[in-house]
Amino acid sequence: MIMEKGKKQIACVTGASGMVGSRIVHCLLQKGYIVRAFTRRNDLMLSGVGMYCGDICDESALRTFINGADFLFHCAAELNDESKMWSLNVLATKRILELSES
């Protein structure tokens, strides 16, 4: 990722409370990006990060989260509850891709 001189770009990260997402957030902040984090944890606060709390299946919340973004890192996933894996790992990923194209 190369940032244009004088323009701070917006990077959005889903799953920011997880191992991969939190590392990406840290790296983006170090490189000077404006970072937005989407998480289902309403108790998570990350210094210097715009926090968006909600359900990854909520289209309206996702649309607000990615509006105006230059980059999107989708790291959210369900790893434990098999009954939620298809809707969260497949359908939500498909929806995020669709929204990012519009």
Side-chain angles (χ1 to χ4, degrees):
M1 295 179 293
I2 299 173
M3 196 177 312
E4 294 177 30
K5 283 203 179 260
K7 180 185 180 234
K8 283 198 165 200
Q9 293 181 310
I10 300 170
C12 294
V13 183
T14 66
S17 63
M19 182 179 66
V20 174
S22 63
R23 184 68 184 139
I24 290 173
V25 166
H26 177 75
C27 290
L28 289 166
L29 287 171
Q30 282 186 326
K31 293 198 179 283
Y33 288 87
I34 297 169
V35 179
R36 296 178 187 165
F38 193 92
T39 179
R40 60 183 161 200
R41 290 185 45 196
N42 60 6
D43 64 331
L44 181 65
M45 298 302 298
L46 301 172
S47 180
V49 175
M51 298 302 297
Y52 292 73
C53 184
D55 186 325
I56 199 78
C57 295
D58 180 346
E59 182 178 324
S60 177
L62 286 174
R63 191 179 302 280
T64 299
F65 172 64
I66 64 173
N67 184 42
D70 297 294
F71 300 98
L72 174 61
F73 298 85
H74 177 46
C75 304
E78 176 58 51
L79 303 174
N80 300 308
D81 187 343
E82 287 187 32
S83 69
K84 296 179 180 178
M85 286 181 181
W86 181 259
S87 65
L88 296 176
N89 298 347
V90 177
L91 299 179
T93 299
K94 180 178 184 264
R95 193 68 195 130
I96 288 170
L97 288 171
E98 291 169 349
L99 290 172
S100 68
E101 292 175 344
S102 59

